[in-house]
mmCIF file of all heavy atoms in Angstrom:
data_model
loop_
_atom_site.group_PDB
_atom_site.id
_atom_site.type_symbol
_atom_site.label_atom_id
_atom_site.label_comp_id
_atom_site.label_asym_id
_atom_site.label_seq_id
_atom_site.Cartn_x
_atom_site.Cartn_y
_atom_site.Cartn_z
ATOM 1 N N TRP A 397 49.947 -4.103 -31.679
ATOM 2 C CA TRP A 397 49.807 -5.439 -32.331
ATOM 3 C C TRP A 397 51.020 -5.804 -33.144
ATOM 4 O O TRP A 397 51.655 -6.946 -32.939
ATOM 5 C CB TRP A 397 48.537 -5.540 -33.117
ATOM 6 C CG TRP A 397 48.541 -6.825 -33.914
ATOM 7 C CD1 TRP A 397 48.080 -8.016 -33.391
ATOM 8 C CD2 TRP A 397 48.916 -6.965 -35.329
ATOM 9 N NE1 TRP A 397 48.202 -8.951 -34.478
ATOM 10 C CE2 TRP A 397 48.656 -8.362 -35.646
ATOM 11 C CE3 TRP A 397 49.340 -6.159 -36.281
ATOM 12 C CZ2 TRP A 397 48.985 -8.917 -36.903
ATOM 13 C CZ3 TRP A 397 49.596 -6.682 -37.592
ATOM 14 C CH2 TRP A 397 49.329 -8.048 -37.856
ATOM 15 N N LEU A 398 51.491 -4.960 -33.943
ATOM 16 C CA LEU A 398 52.562 -5.163 -34.813
ATOM 17 C C LEU A 398 53.919 -5.464 -33.988
ATOM 18 O O LEU A 398 54.627 -6.384 -34.367
ATOM 19 C CB LEU A 398 52.767 -3.973 -35.822
ATOM 20 C CG LEU A 398 53.870 -4.086 -36.809
ATOM 21 C CD1 LEU A 398 53.590 -5.251 -37.839
ATOM 22 C CD2 LEU A 398 53.972 -2.693 -37.594
ATOM 23 N N PHE A 399 54.077 -4.627 -33.020
ATOM 24 C CA PHE A 399 55.346 -4.665 -32.154
ATOM 25 C C PHE A 399 55.299 -5.982 -31.434
ATOM 26 O O PHE A 399 56.270 -6.785 -31.494
ATOM 27 C CB PHE A 399 55.396 -3.406 -31.307
ATOM 28 C CG PHE A 399 56.788 -3.345 -30.658
ATOM 29 C CD1 PHE A 399 57.839 -2.990 -31.438
ATOM 30 C CD2 PHE A 399 56.897 -3.716 -29.361
ATOM 31 C CE1 PHE A 399 59.045 -2.866 -30.793
ATOM 32 C CE2 PHE A 399 58.219 -3.595 -28.667
ATOM 33 C CZ PHE A 399 59.271 -3.103 -29.504
ATOM 34 N N PHE A 400 54.186 -6.295 -30.794
ATOM 35 C CA PHE A 400 54.219 -7.514 -29.906
ATOM 36 C C PHE A 400 54.092 -8.799 -30.711
ATOM 37 O O PHE A 400 54.638 -9.872 -30.312
ATOM 38 C CB PHE A 400 53.111 -7.431 -28.857
ATOM 39 C CG PHE A 400 53.375 -6.416 -27.795
ATOM 40 C CD1 PHE A 400 52.666 -5.251 -27.565
ATOM 41 C CD2 PHE A 400 54.483 -6.659 -26.957
ATOM 42 C CE1 PHE A 400 52.966 -4.411 -26.605
ATOM 43 C CE2 PHE A 400 54.853 -5.727 -25.978
ATOM 44 C CZ PHE A 400 54.022 -4.611 -25.754
ATOM 45 N N TYR A 401 53.481 -8.641 -31.940
ATOM 46 C CA TYR A 401 53.442 -9.802 -32.751
ATOM 47 C C TYR A 401 54.722 -10.253 -33.261
ATOM 48 O O TYR A 401 55.180 -11.415 -33.358
ATOM 49 C CB TYR A 401 52.482 -9.576 -33.913
ATOM 50 C CG TYR A 401 52.504 -10.585 -35.085
ATOM 51 C CD1 TYR A 401 51.954 -11.830 -34.892
ATOM 52 C CD2 TYR A 401 53.076 -10.291 -36.277
ATOM 53 C CE1 TYR A 401 51.992 -12.749 -35.933
ATOM 54 C CE2 TYR A 401 53.123 -11.126 -37.337
ATOM 55 C CZ TYR A 401 52.594 -12.517 -37.116
ATOM 56 O OH TYR A 401 52.629 -13.353 -38.208
ATOM 57 N N LEU A 402 55.529 -9.205 -33.606
ATOM 58 C CA LEU A 402 56.857 -9.499 -34.155
ATOM 59 C C LEU A 402 57.979 -9.509 -33.113
ATOM 60 O O LEU A 402 59.080 -10.060 -33.271
ATOM 61 C CB LEU A 402 57.185 -8.497 -35.244
ATOM 62 C CG LEU A 402 56.427 -8.590 -36.505
ATOM 63 C CD1 LEU A 402 56.655 -7.427 -37.444
ATOM 64 C CD2 LEU A 402 56.729 -9.863 -37.288
ATOM 65 N N PHE A 403 57.790 -8.836 -31.932
ATOM 66 C CA PHE A 403 58.789 -8.783 -30.961
ATOM 67 C C PHE A 403 59.280 -10.088 -30.428
ATOM 68 O O PHE A 403 60.438 -10.208 -30.230
ATOM 69 C CB PHE A 403 58.252 -7.916 -29.788
ATOM 70 C CG PHE A 403 59.384 -7.491 -28.904
ATOM 71 C CD1 PHE A 403 60.278 -6.436 -29.229
ATOM 72 C CD2 PHE A 403 59.503 -8.083 -27.629
ATOM 73 C CE1 PHE A 403 61.187 -6.105 -28.326
ATOM 74 C CE2 PHE A 403 60.479 -7.739 -26.812
ATOM 75 C CZ PHE A 403 61.365 -6.653 -27.130
ATOM 76 N N LYS A 404 58.381 -11.051 -30.350
ATOM 77 C CA LYS A 404 58.782 -12.334 -29.732
ATOM 78 C C LYS A 404 59.707 -13.203 -30.809
ATOM 79 O O LYS A 404 60.459 -13.938 -30.364
ATOM 80 C CB LYS A 404 57.545 -13.192 -29.410
ATOM 81 C CG LYS A 404 56.622 -13.422 -30.564
ATOM 82 C CD LYS A 404 55.345 -14.100 -30.161
ATOM 83 C CE LYS A 404 54.380 -14.136 -31.274
ATOM 84 N NZ LYS A 404 53.006 -14.413 -30.784
ATOM 85 N N THR A 405 59.682 -12.785 -32.023
ATOM 86 C CA THR A 405 60.507 -13.467 -33.045
ATOM 87 C C THR A 405 61.741 -12.733 -33.433
ATOM 88 O O THR A 405 62.788 -13.182 -33.578
ATOM 89 C CB THR A 405 59.661 -13.815 -34.295
ATOM 90 O OG1 THR A 405 59.127 -12.739 -34.774
ATOM 91 C CG2 THR A 405 58.567 -14.949 -33.903
ATOM 92 N N ASN A 406 61.551 -11.375 -33.728
ATOM 93 C CA ASN A 406 62.602 -10.635 -34.277
ATOM 94 C C ASN A 406 62.424 -9.167 -33.779
ATOM 95 O O ASN A 406 61.625 -8.389 -34.421
ATOM 96 C CB ASN A 406 62.688 -10.740 -35.677
ATOM 97 C CG ASN A 406 63.924 -10.230 -36.247
ATOM 98 O OD1 ASN A 406 64.549 -9.301 -35.696
ATOM 99 N ND2 ASN A 406 64.328 -10.727 -37.444
ATOM 100 N N LYS A 407 63.174 -8.727 -32.859
ATOM 101 C CA LYS A 407 63.042 -7.280 -32.319
ATOM 102 C C LYS A 407 63.382 -6.298 -33.332
ATOM 103 O O LYS A 407 62.679 -5.221 -33.449
ATOM 104 C CB LYS A 407 63.891 -7.133 -31.122
ATOM 105 C CG LYS A 407 63.471 -7.978 -29.957
ATOM 106 C CD LYS A 407 64.489 -7.916 -28.699
ATOM 107 C CE LYS A 407 64.144 -8.742 -27.424
ATOM 108 N NZ LYS A 407 64.090 -10.047 -27.640
ATOM 109 N N SER A 408 64.406 -6.487 -34.150
ATOM 110 C CA SER A 408 64.833 -5.458 -35.121
ATOM 111 C C SER A 408 63.810 -5.399 -36.198
ATOM 112 O O SER A 408 63.492 -4.280 -36.658
ATOM 113 C CB SER A 408 66.191 -5.792 -35.637
ATOM 114 O OG SER A 408 66.092 -7.000 -36.396
ATOM 115 N N LYS A 409 63.082 -6.513 -36.575
ATOM 116 C CA LYS A 409 62.080 -6.336 -37.595
ATOM 117 C C LYS A 409 60.876 -5.686 -37.094
ATOM 118 O O LYS A 409 60.190 -5.001 -37.773
ATOM 119 C CB LYS A 409 61.690 -7.809 -38.110
ATOM 120 C CG LYS A 409 62.575 -8.232 -39.275
ATOM 121 C CD LYS A 409 62.060 -9.513 -39.933
ATOM 122 C CE LYS A 409 62.893 -9.869 -41.121
ATOM 123 N NZ LYS A 409 62.263 -10.881 -41.893
ATOM 124 N N ALA A 410 60.624 -5.937 -35.768
ATOM 125 C CA ALA A 410 59.401 -5.216 -35.175
ATOM 126 C C ALA A 410 59.590 -3.692 -35.225
ATOM 127 O O ALA A 410 58.738 -2.953 -35.660
ATOM 128 C CB ALA A 410 59.330 -5.748 -33.729
ATOM 129 N N VAL A 411 60.795 -3.213 -34.829
ATOM 130 C CA VAL A 411 61.035 -1.818 -34.935
ATOM 131 C C VAL A 411 61.132 -1.308 -36.375
ATOM 132 O O VAL A 411 60.569 -0.205 -36.657
ATOM 133 C CB VAL A 411 62.465 -1.518 -34.362
ATOM 134 C CG1 VAL A 411 62.901 -0.010 -34.447
ATOM 135 C CG2 VAL A 411 62.363 -1.854 -32.821
ATOM 136 N N LYS A 412 61.691 -2.114 -37.329
ATOM 137 C CA LYS A 412 61.752 -1.717 -38.715
ATOM 138 C C LYS A 412 60.254 -1.636 -39.314
ATOM 139 O O LYS A 412 59.939 -0.592 -39.919
ATOM 140 C CB LYS A 412 62.497 -2.774 -39.506
ATOM 141 C CG LYS A 412 62.421 -2.606 -40.925
ATOM 142 C CD LYS A 412 63.107 -3.760 -41.710
ATOM 143 C CE LYS A 412 62.864 -3.767 -43.155
ATOM 144 N NZ LYS A 412 63.408 -4.960 -43.782
ATOM 145 N N TYR A 413 59.493 -2.628 -39.005
ATOM 146 C CA TYR A 413 58.106 -2.565 -39.502
ATOM 147 C C TYR A 413 57.219 -1.448 -38.953
ATOM 148 O O TYR A 413 56.425 -0.721 -39.661
ATOM 149 C CB TYR A 413 57.351 -3.876 -39.448
ATOM 150 C CG TYR A 413 57.878 -4.960 -40.323
ATOM 151 C CD1 TYR A 413 57.961 -6.296 -39.956
ATOM 152 C CD2 TYR A 413 58.345 -4.696 -41.690
ATOM 153 C CE1 TYR A 413 58.394 -7.279 -40.784
ATOM 154 C CE2 TYR A 413 58.768 -5.626 -42.425
ATOM 155 C CZ TYR A 413 58.917 -6.895 -42.053
ATOM 156 O OH TYR A 413 59.349 -7.945 -42.893
ATOM 157 N N CYS A 414 57.415 -1.170 -37.633
ATOM 158 C CA CYS A 414 56.742 -0.135 -37.002
ATOM 159 C C CYS A 414 57.108 1.327 -37.588
ATOM 160 O O CYS A 414 56.335 2.119 -37.875
ATOM 161 C CB CYS A 414 56.958 -0.014 -35.494
ATOM 162 S SG CYS A 414 56.134 -1.436 -34.619
ATOM 163 N N THR A 415 58.356 1.469 -37.877
ATOM 164 C CA THR A 415 58.898 2.650 -38.456
ATOM 165 C C THR A 415 58.464 2.851 -39.893
ATOM 166 O O THR A 415 57.997 3.999 -40.163
ATOM 167 C CB THR A 415 60.469 2.654 -38.517
ATOM 168 O OG1 THR A 415 60.911 2.384 -37.154
ATOM 169 C CG2 THR A 415 60.983 3.951 -39.077
ATOM 170 N N ILE A 416 58.376 1.834 -40.584
ATOM 171 C CA ILE A 416 57.865 1.844 -41.974
ATOM 172 C C ILE A 416 56.439 2.206 -42.060
ATOM 173 O O ILE A 416 55.924 3.110 -42.745
ATOM 174 C CB ILE A 416 58.045 0.532 -42.802
ATOM 175 C CG1 ILE A 416 59.567 0.329 -43.071
ATOM 176 C CG2 ILE A 416 57.300 0.494 -44.105
ATOM 177 C CD1 ILE A 416 59.868 -1.103 -43.578
ATOM 178 N N PHE A 417 55.688 1.645 -41.174
ATOM 179 C CA PHE A 417 54.254 1.844 -41.074
ATOM 180 C C PHE A 417 53.913 3.315 -40.665
ATOM 181 O O PHE A 417 53.146 3.976 -41.396
ATOM 182 C CB PHE A 417 53.640 0.869 -40.061
ATOM 183 C CG PHE A 417 52.234 1.245 -39.643
ATOM 184 C CD1 PHE A 417 51.195 0.985 -40.587
ATOM 185 C CD2 PHE A 417 51.876 1.846 -38.399
ATOM 186 C CE1 PHE A 417 49.850 1.379 -40.253
ATOM 187 C CE2 PHE A 417 50.554 2.180 -38.173
ATOM 188 C CZ PHE A 417 49.589 1.960 -38.982
ATOM 189 N N LEU A 418 54.581 3.713 -39.589
ATOM 190 C CA LEU A 418 54.408 5.170 -39.125
ATOM 191 C C LEU A 418 54.791 6.149 -40.264
ATOM 192 O O LEU A 418 54.099 7.158 -40.454
ATOM 193 C CB LEU A 418 55.035 5.412 -37.909
ATOM 194 C CG LEU A 418 54.414 4.812 -36.639
ATOM 195 C CD1 LEU A 418 55.297 4.984 -35.450
ATOM 196 C CD2 LEU A 418 53.060 5.284 -36.359
ATOM 197 N N THR A 419 55.869 5.864 -40.968
ATOM 198 C CA THR A 419 56.358 6.817 -41.967
ATOM 199 C C THR A 419 55.340 6.828 -43.068
ATOM 200 O O THR A 419 55.105 8.019 -43.599
ATOM 201 C CB THR A 419 57.680 6.282 -42.443
ATOM 202 O OG1 THR A 419 58.669 6.264 -41.391
ATOM 203 C CG2 THR A 419 58.314 7.287 -43.507
ATOM 204 N N THR A 420 54.777 5.697 -43.558
ATOM 205 C CA THR A 420 53.953 5.734 -44.706
ATOM 206 C C THR A 420 52.634 6.502 -44.334
ATOM 207 O O THR A 420 52.093 7.213 -45.172
ATOM 208 C CB THR A 420 53.585 4.346 -45.286
ATOM 209 O OG1 THR A 420 53.208 3.466 -44.208
ATOM 210 C CG2 THR A 420 54.855 3.838 -46.038
ATOM 211 N N VAL A 421 52.130 6.214 -43.058
ATOM 212 C CA VAL A 421 50.835 6.907 -42.677
ATOM 213 C C VAL A 421 51.195 8.360 -42.650
ATOM 214 O O VAL A 421 50.394 9.222 -43.131
ATOM 215 C CB VAL A 421 50.433 6.410 -41.269
ATOM 216 C CG1 VAL A 421 49.322 7.196 -40.728
ATOM 217 C CG2 VAL A 421 49.966 4.931 -41.337
ATOM 218 N N PHE A 422 52.261 8.792 -42.053
ATOM 219 C CA PHE A 422 52.572 10.227 -41.945
ATOM 220 C C PHE A 422 52.767 10.868 -43.348
ATOM 221 O O PHE A 422 52.244 11.940 -43.540
ATOM 222 C CB PHE A 422 53.885 10.435 -41.136
ATOM 223 C CG PHE A 422 54.358 11.811 -41.064
ATOM 224 C CD1 PHE A 422 53.799 12.677 -40.238
ATOM 225 C CD2 PHE A 422 55.445 12.207 -41.918
ATOM 226 C CE1 PHE A 422 54.202 14.026 -40.186
ATOM 227 C CE2 PHE A 422 55.859 13.573 -41.777
ATOM 228 C CZ PHE A 422 55.331 14.432 -40.996
ATOM 229 N N LEU A 423 53.348 10.227 -44.370
ATOM 230 C CA LEU A 423 53.522 10.687 -45.677
ATOM 231 C C LEU A 423 52.245 10.917 -46.328
ATOM 232 O O LEU A 423 52.133 11.823 -47.213
ATOM 233 C CB LEU A 423 54.500 9.853 -46.486
ATOM 234 C CG LEU A 423 55.913 9.964 -45.995
ATOM 235 C CD1 LEU A 423 56.815 8.977 -46.783
ATOM 236 C CD2 LEU A 423 56.520 11.333 -46.201
ATOM 237 N N VAL A 424 51.314 10.054 -46.077
ATOM 238 C CA VAL A 424 49.946 10.240 -46.841
ATOM 239 C C VAL A 424 49.166 11.433 -46.208
ATOM 240 O O VAL A 424 48.544 12.068 -46.900
ATOM 241 C CB VAL A 424 49.134 8.969 -46.657
ATOM 242 C CG1 VAL A 424 47.687 9.173 -47.106
ATOM 243 C CG2 VAL A 424 49.753 7.754 -47.475
ATOM 244 N N ILE A 425 49.253 11.497 -44.852
ATOM 245 C CA ILE A 425 48.601 12.633 -44.211
ATOM 246 C C ILE A 425 49.248 13.944 -44.206
ATOM 247 O O ILE A 425 48.604 15.046 -44.361
ATOM 248 C CB ILE A 425 48.406 12.341 -42.714
ATOM 249 C CG1 ILE A 425 47.499 11.045 -42.487
ATOM 250 C CG2 ILE A 425 47.833 13.424 -41.886
ATOM 251 C CD1 ILE A 425 47.366 10.450 -41.166
ATOM 252 N N LEU A 426 50.548 14.022 -44.469
ATOM 253 C CA LEU A 426 51.347 15.221 -44.510
ATOM 254 C C LEU A 426 50.811 16.280 -45.562
ATOM 255 O O LEU A 426 50.719 17.522 -45.137
ATOM 256 C CB LEU A 426 52.814 14.922 -44.807
ATOM 257 C CG LEU A 426 53.767 16.104 -44.840
ATOM 258 C CD1 LEU A 426 53.756 16.820 -43.472
ATOM 259 C CD2 LEU A 426 55.150 15.677 -45.269
ATOM 260 N N PRO A 427 50.508 15.964 -46.877
ATOM 261 C CA PRO A 427 50.042 16.888 -47.735
ATOM 262 C C PRO A 427 48.815 17.642 -47.275
ATOM 263 O O PRO A 427 48.731 18.945 -47.461
ATOM 264 C CB PRO A 427 49.786 16.136 -49.017
ATOM 265 C CG PRO A 427 50.680 14.999 -48.953
ATOM 266 C CD PRO A 427 50.724 14.618 -47.488
ATOM 267 N N VAL A 428 47.832 16.914 -46.671
ATOM 268 C CA VAL A 428 46.665 17.466 -46.200
ATOM 269 C C VAL A 428 46.988 18.429 -44.964
ATOM 270 O O VAL A 428 46.347 19.536 -44.933
ATOM 271 C CB VAL A 428 45.620 16.479 -45.835
ATOM 272 C CG1 VAL A 428 44.420 16.970 -45.188
ATOM 273 C CG2 VAL A 428 45.274 15.605 -47.004
ATOM 274 N N THR A 429 47.807 18.058 -44.080
ATOM 275 C CA THR A 429 48.315 18.906 -43.020
ATOM 276 C C THR A 429 48.873 20.135 -43.477
ATOM 277 O O THR A 429 48.533 21.239 -42.985
ATOM 278 C CB THR A 429 49.190 18.061 -42.098
ATOM 279 O OG1 THR A 429 48.607 16.846 -41.710
ATOM 280 C CG2 THR A 429 49.586 18.895 -40.804
ATOM 281 N N LEU A 430 49.760 20.031 -44.407
ATOM 282 C CA LEU A 430 50.401 21.242 -44.989
ATOM 283 C C LEU A 430 49.409 22.134 -45.639
ATOM 284 O O LEU A 430 49.466 23.333 -45.477
ATOM 285 C CB LEU A 430 51.564 20.841 -45.995
ATOM 286 C CG LEU A 430 52.729 20.191 -45.424
ATOM 287 C CD1 LEU A 430 53.698 19.754 -46.495
ATOM 288 C CD2 LEU A 430 53.497 21.083 -44.542
ATOM 289 N N ARG A 431 48.519 21.631 -46.421
ATOM 290 C CA ARG A 431 47.467 22.323 -47.066
ATOM 291 C C ARG A 431 46.621 23.173 -46.019
ATOM 292 O O ARG A 431 46.288 24.226 -46.148
ATOM 293 C CB ARG A 431 46.634 21.514 -47.926
ATOM 294 C CG ARG A 431 45.539 22.151 -48.596
ATOM 295 C CD ARG A 431 44.112 21.702 -48.233
ATOM 296 N NE ARG A 431 43.054 22.490 -48.787
ATOM 297 C CZ ARG A 431 42.170 23.096 -48.153
ATOM 298 N NH1 ARG A 431 42.145 22.998 -46.743
ATOM 299 N NH2 ARG A 431 41.168 23.771 -48.672
ATOM 300 N N ASN A 432 46.220 22.313 -44.929
ATOM 301 C CA ASN A 432 45.406 22.989 -43.841
ATOM 302 C C ASN A 432 46.158 24.148 -43.170
ATOM 303 O O ASN A 432 45.599 25.185 -42.873
ATOM 304 C CB ASN A 432 45.042 21.858 -42.811
ATOM 305 C CG ASN A 432 44.094 20.929 -43.225
ATOM 306 O OD1 ASN A 432 43.303 21.259 -44.294
ATOM 307 N ND2 ASN A 432 43.916 19.765 -42.723
ATOM 308 N N TYR A 433 47.524 23.921 -43.063
ATOM 309 C CA TYR A 433 48.376 24.955 -42.455
ATOM 310 C C TYR A 433 48.437 26.186 -43.293
ATOM 311 O O TYR A 433 48.400 27.290 -42.899
ATOM 312 C CB TYR A 433 49.756 24.505 -42.011
ATOM 313 C CG TYR A 433 50.523 25.596 -41.386
ATOM 314 C CD1 TYR A 433 50.195 25.851 -40.012
ATOM 315 C CD2 TYR A 433 51.574 26.202 -42.001
ATOM 316 C CE1 TYR A 433 51.049 26.871 -39.362
ATOM 317 C CE2 TYR A 433 52.312 27.165 -41.378
ATOM 318 C CZ TYR A 433 52.060 27.552 -40.124
ATOM 319 O OH TYR A 433 52.764 28.552 -39.448
ATOM 320 N N ILE A 434 48.558 25.954 -44.634
ATOM 321 C CA ILE A 434 48.827 27.057 -45.612
ATOM 322 C C ILE A 434 47.489 27.863 -45.671
ATOM 323 O O ILE A 434 47.529 29.089 -45.725
ATOM 324 C CB ILE A 434 49.274 26.550 -46.972
ATOM 325 C CG1 ILE A 434 50.652 26.009 -46.919
ATOM 326 C CG2 ILE A 434 49.077 27.584 -48.001
ATOM 327 C CD1 ILE A 434 51.087 25.229 -48.087
#
Side-chain angles (χ1 to χ4, degrees):
W397 171 80
L398 184 64
F399 191 74
F400 288 114
Y401 169 71
L402 292 170
F403 190 78
K404 58 187 169 197
T405 58
N406 191 334
K407 293 175 179 65
S408 64
K409 275 195 175 183
V411 172
K412 173 185 168 187
Y413 288 146
C414 288
T415 305
I416 291 170
F417 170 73
L418 287 174
T419 302
T420 53
V421 170
F422 177 73
L423 288 175
V424 171
I425 295 174
L426 182 63
V428 174
T429 306
L430 290 175
R431 181 241 174 236
N432 290 342
Y433 183 75
I434 291 168

